[in-house]
């Protein structure tokens, strides 16, 4: 009974961490237009925010991967609990560095703080995801992970509204300047992480040792579903983050809606909230539940999730009516996908391509909602790509997972590339960059079954011949 209580309390704290890093990751989308205005930056300079934050994921994962080849899995040596504590401390330090960055009014200091924060989140990602899976019976591991990921999406949904209010409407309106409006919010986040590390230190947790073989070399890349899947992850996180990064500025264009940042931030909540809606629906669509019950629950959860977003944004119902149609389209796409990972992935990417094209070549409310709609079709992409990519890898699974995490580098580079293009050809036309990302994802989704079947040919002969 005591162990069960310990696991429950630990799971609650871990789920809170998922919420927090989802919240702070989405806060970057608030920082971009804010710091762009404060420091009078070009688009590509503002995108250095995402470059430094997500670049830390790549560098942190690469260092971890190289260490694992040399000394074995570092987390396996220090323990998942200590790995999470280290991640919390580094994340807290990154948040606290926002204070001197604002004090000295240096954009480079802000970028350094974001890099440190990204390193902390990298450690949390590496340690917390598998730890959620082992805090309980294997049969319910997927359920626990889906729940934690749903709270991550809840964080990305709330961040644009709450974070945007604190920065744009409260502290900025009270005379904060030179980036000072971010000081108090990030100090609060930093203290929460540090307190979380202290609390986690004194919680009794079950020991866990990962016995997967760590394989040297690049043998995992002989699997096409992994090598192509690594690029698919790069494209997915790149396209998703690029759209979120530019959405407030896009809505502010006179040809679109001409809204100020304080008003546009509420629409950003619908972009990231769509991921939450889609993840709940995706978890149900892939289940073995009876079809009628499955679709009924998908509708109910979609309605409840929409109600939550509608409540926290406080917008007029007539304004957000197009979003109802977007949810309906998502439901139809899930039905056509029939729970098949590759088919659903390819279909969702195809719809995203059409939506982005519509946002490029139209204007006004239509262009805005078309771009926002991409969020709900991003929902299952990470899980579907990841699952397809590691299928059939056997002893190379751990190595393959490390390579996929490194591919988060896409979130650092793709927004930067779009920023450079936006300065040259204009912001609206620059969305051709994420459009190209989704074209590749569509290709990967529809062609992945061929690569997965060939994996059996690679692995099977080693078992049959003596």
């Amino acid at each position: 009974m005591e162990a069960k209580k310990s696991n429950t309390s630990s799971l609650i704290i871990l789920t809170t961490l998922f919420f927090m890093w989802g919240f702070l990751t989405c806060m970057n989308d608030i920082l971009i237009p804010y710091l762009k205005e404060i420091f009078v930056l070009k688009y590509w300079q503002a995108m250095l925010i995402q470059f430094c934050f997500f670049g830390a994921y790549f560098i942190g994962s690469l260092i971890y991967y190289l260490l694992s080849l040399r000394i074995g899995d570092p987390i396996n040596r220090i323990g998942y609990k200590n790995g999470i504590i280290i991640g919390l401390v580094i994340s807290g330090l990154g948040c606290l560095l926002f204070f001197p960055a604002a004090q000295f009014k240096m954009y480079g200091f802000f970028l350094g703080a974001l890099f440190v924060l990204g390193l902390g989140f990298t450690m949390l990602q590496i340690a917390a995801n598998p730890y959620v899976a082992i805090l309980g019976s294997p049969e319910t591991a997927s359920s626990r992970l889906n729940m934690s990921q749903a709270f991550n999406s809840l964080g990305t949904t709330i961040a644009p509204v709450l974070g945007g209010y604190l920065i744009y409407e409260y502290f900025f309106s009270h005379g904060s300047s030179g980036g000072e409006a971010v000081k108090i919010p990030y100090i609060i986040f930093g203290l929460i992480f540090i307190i979380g590390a202290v609390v986690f230190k004194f919680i009794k947790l079950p020991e866990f040792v990962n016995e997967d073989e760590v394989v040297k070399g690049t043998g995992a890349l002989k699997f096409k579903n992994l090598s192509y899947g690594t690029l698919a992850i790069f494209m997915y996180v790149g396209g998703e983050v690029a759209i979120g990064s530019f959405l407030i500025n896009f809505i502010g264009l006179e040809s679109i809606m001409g809204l100020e940042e304080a008003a546009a931030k509420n629409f950003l909540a619908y972009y990231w909230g769509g991921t939450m809606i889609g993840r709940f629906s995706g978890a149900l669509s892939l289940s073995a539940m009876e079809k009628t019950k499955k679709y009924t629950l998908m509708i109910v959860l979609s309605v409840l999730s929409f109600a939550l977003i509608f409540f926290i944004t406080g917008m007029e119902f007539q304004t957000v009516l197009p979003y109802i149609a977007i949810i309906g389209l998502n439901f139809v796409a899930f039905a056509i996908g029939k729970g098949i990972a590759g088919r659903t992935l390819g279909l969702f990417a195809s719809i995203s391509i059409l939506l982005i094209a519509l946002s490029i070549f139209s204007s006004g409310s239509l262009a805005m909602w078309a771009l926002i709609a991409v969020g709900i079709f991003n929902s299952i992409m990470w899980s579907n790509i990841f699952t397809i990519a590691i299928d059939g890898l056997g002893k190379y699974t751990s190595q393959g997972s490390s390579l996929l995490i490194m591919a988060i580098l896409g979130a650092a580079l793709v927004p930067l590339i779009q920023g450079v293009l936006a300065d040259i050809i204009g912001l609206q036309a620059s969305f051709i960059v994420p459009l190209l990302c989704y074209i590749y994802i569509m290709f990967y989704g529809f062609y992945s079954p061929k690569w997965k079947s060939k994996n059996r040919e690679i692995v099977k002969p080693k078992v049959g011949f003596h």
Side-chain angles (χ1 to χ4, degrees):
M1 177 68 71
E2 186 176 338
K4 187 175 181 181
K5 286 183 178 177
S6 176
N7 287 357
T8 302
S9 61
S10 301
L11 191 60
I12 291 171
I13 293 176
L14 281 170
T15 302
T16 304
L17 295 184
F18 276 78
F19 172 85
M20 284 297 295
W21 82 53
F23 190 102
L24 281 170
T25 299
C26 192
M27 278 292 290
N28 290 353
D29 297 340
I30 301 296
L31 285 176
I32 287 168
Y34 173 72
L35 295 181
K36 182 179 183 294
E37 181 179 349
I38 293 296
F39 292 103
V40 193
L41 305 172
K42 294 183 177 180
Y43 281 117
W44 76 266
Q45 292 172 316
M47 286 306 112
L48 290 175
I49 290 172
Q50 302 291 31
F51 179 80
C52 290
F53 181 79
F54 287 105
Y57 273 77
F58 173 75
I59 293 174
S61 299
L62 179 61
I63 292 172
Y64 186 92
Y65 174 72
L66 294 174
L67 282 173
S68 70
L69 294 181
R70 185 175 178 83
I71 65 172
D73 190 348
I75 289 292
N76 218 31
R77 286 178 172 270
I78 66 175
Y80 279 82
K81 176 180 175 179
N82 288 330
I84 292 169
I85 292 171
I86 292 171
L88 285 168
V89 171
I90 296 173
S91 300
L93 177 61
C95 289
L96 294 176
L97 286 174
F98 273 75
F99 183 87
Q103 201 71 25
F104 291 110
K105 298 178 174 62
M106 294 174 60
Y107 183 53
F109 212 142
F110 279 107
L111 297 180
L114 284 162
F115 182 82
V116 175
L117 181 60
L119 287 177
F121 283 3
T122 303
M123 193 65 175
L124 287 174
Q125 289 271 19
I126 292 172
N129 279 288
Y131 205 81
V132 168
I134 57 94
L135 279 175
S137 65
E139 291 77 17
T140 57
S142 178
S143 174
R144 290 191 297 277
L145 282 169
N146 279 328
M147 178 63 70
S148 295
Q149 287 292 342
F151 274 87
N152 179 271
S153 295
L154 178 62
T156 63
T157 303
I158 294 175
V161 180
L162 178 58
Y165 169 77
L166 290 174
I167 291 175
Y168 286 121
E169 299 183 39
Y170 187 78
F171 293 112
F172 191 66
S173 65
H174 282 68
S176 298
S177 60
E180 291 190 5
V182 303
K183 285 200 299 190
I184 294 179
Y186 276 88
I187 287 174
I188 294 172
F189 299 142
L191 291 176
I192 290 174
F193 280 124
I194 299 298
I195 292 170
V198 174
V199 171
F200 220 82
K201 176 69 177 175
F202 294 100
I203 291 178
K204 291 183 180 180
L205 297 174
E207 295 293 328
F208 173 74
V209 176
N210 185 356
E211 298 179 352
D212 288 347
E213 180 182 357
V214 177
V215 186
K216 296 184 178 181
T218 57
L221 290 176
K222 68 185 177 184
F223 296 89
K224 285 189 175 181
N225 57 308
L226 175 67
S227 56
Y228 285 96
T230 301
L231 183 55
I233 288 287
F234 180 97
M235 294 294 186
Y236 156 66
V237 295
E240 178 184 54
V241 171
I243 292 173
S245 300
F246 286 105
L247 190 58
I248 290 179
N249 289 117
F250 178 77
I251 295 172
L253 294 176
E254 289 300 324
S255 60
I256 306 301
M257 300 297 289
L259 297 178
E260 295 291 332
E261 288 90 345
K265 65 176 173 51
N266 290 325
F267 290 98
L268 184 61
Y270 282 90
Y271 174 74
W272 290 112
T275 304
M276 177 176 64
I277 294 172
R279 279 179 175 170
F280 279 129
S281 296
L284 289 168
S285 72
L286 294 171
S287 71
M289 193 181 296
E290 191 269 325
K291 186 178 291 186
T292 302
K293 187 176 180 181
K294 178 192 299 185
Y295 288 136
T296 301
L297 281 175
M298 286 172 68
I299 293 173
V300 171
L301 282 176
S302 295
V303 170
L304 291 175
S305 298
F306 168 76
L308 173 64
I309 303 169
F310 179 72
F311 174 76
I312 63 175
T313 56
M315 301 171 69
E316 293 184 7
F317 185 73
Q318 188 175 357
T319 304
V320 298
L321 270 178
Y323 201 72
I324 304 294
I326 293 168
I327 295 175
L329 177 61
N330 182 249
F331 186 84
V332 171
F334 268 121
I336 297 174
K338 295 183 178 179
I340 301 171
R343 179 194 292 178
T344 306
L345 177 64
L347 180 61
F348 275 38
S350 300
I351 295 172
S352 297
I353 292 166
L354 295 174
L355 290 169
I356 296 172
L358 189 59
S359 70
I360 293 174
F361 296 107
S362 63
S363 61
S365 178
L366 178 62
M368 179 187 71
W369 283 112
L371 198 57
I372 290 172
V374 178
I376 200 169
F377 294 99
N378 281 331
S379 55
I380 52 84
M381 289 189 181
W382 171 273
S383 59
N384 284 25
I385 295 171
F386 206 96
T387 303
I388 294 168
I390 64 172
D391 180 71
L393 265 60
K395 66 181 181 180
Y396 294 103
T397 300
S398 295
Q399 188 184 87
S401 298
S402 298
L403 293 170
L404 291 169
I405 292 173
M406 284 184 218
I408 293 177
L409 179 65
L413 296 181
V414 174
L416 187 62
I417 293 170
Q418 185 177 352
V420 172
L421 198 62
D423 288 321
I424 298 172
I425 65 174
L427 179 57
Q428 188 168 5
S430 72
F431 280 95
I432 186 69
V433 174
L435 186 146
L436 293 173
C437 291
Y438 287 99
I439 289 176
Y440 179 82
I441 297 168
M442 177 186 67
F443 156 76
Y444 181 76
F446 286 138
Y447 280 86
S448 59
K450 297 181 180 179
W451 302 323
K452 288 172 66 177
S453 62
K454 289 182 179 179
N455 285 357
R456 310 295 180 263
E457 300 172 14
I458 296 174
V459 177
K460 209 169 184 180
K462 293 184 179 181
V463 179
F465 295 95
H466 297 280

